[in-house]
Amino acid sequence: MSTSVLQGIIFLLGVMICVLSACCVYTPIRLTTLVRSAWVKKTTFPFAVAVRLAMGPVLIFAASGSKFPVGFEVLGWLMIIAAIVILVSGRDRTSRLLDRFERFPGWAIRLWCVLGVFFGGFLIYGSS
């Protein structure tokens, strides 16, 4: 796959992260509701692992054509490691982590979402 296609995928991922995070800054309860409603489905856990396993190599291979080659490569490896950690942790432990996240106060969830907007912006800027 060409670097420009990979960068386009990263750009779209960045846009999705920005939009979702920005919406959740406004109403953080939507994020917890969305995650909880998706988590009850049996396919969500393997999907979470698969997305990270897919995006890791995309970031690694697109790194050379990005504005932040080292940053994108490190992010790619972190995504692969995250997929492995989630897989090894299992659905129950990951579910307990989500339970803990749901108990965060609204301001803390908003802060995470603001960081998500910045992260999405980093992907957008770095891939263009």
Side-chain angles (χ1 to χ4, degrees):
M1 214 180 288
S2 74
T3 305
S4 61
V5 171
L6 297 174
Q7 287 175 333
I9 292 169
I10 294 169
F11 181 87
L12 290 175
L13 177 68
V15 169
M16 288 177 11
I17 291 171
C18 274
V19 169
L20 181 62
S21 295
C23 289
C24 293
V25 166
Y26 179 66
T27 55
I29 192 70
R30 278 192 183 167
L31 177 63
T32 57
T33 304
L34 175 72
V35 170
R36 185 51 63 191
S37 65
W39 193 251
V40 297
K41 299 175 185 170
K42 297 281 186 208
T43 57
T44 304
F45 182 76
F47 181 75
V49 173
V51 166
R52 285 164 181 82
L53 281 177
M55 287 308 300
V58 168
L59 284 162
I60 292 168
F61 292 126
S64 63
S66 73
K67 292 179 181 173
F68 308 106
V70 174
F72 273 37
E73 188 169 347
V74 168
L75 273 174
W77 286 110
L78 286 174
M79 287 192 109
I80 292 169
I81 291 167
I84 294 167
V85 167
I86 291 170
L87 188 60
V88 170
S89 296
R91 185 178 177 85
D92 292 337
R93 277 194 181 151
T94 307
S95 186
R96 282 184 278 179
L97 184 66
L98 291 174
D99 291 341
R100 215 179 273 170
F101 181 77
E102 276 184 323
R103 292 191 300 267
F104 281 8
W107 66 265
I109 296 172
R110 281 188 171 98
L111 179 61
W112 274 108
C113 293
V114 167
L115 293 173
V117 171
F118 285 121
F119 177 68
F122 171 75
L123 292 177
I124 292 168
Y125 179 72
S127 66
S128 58

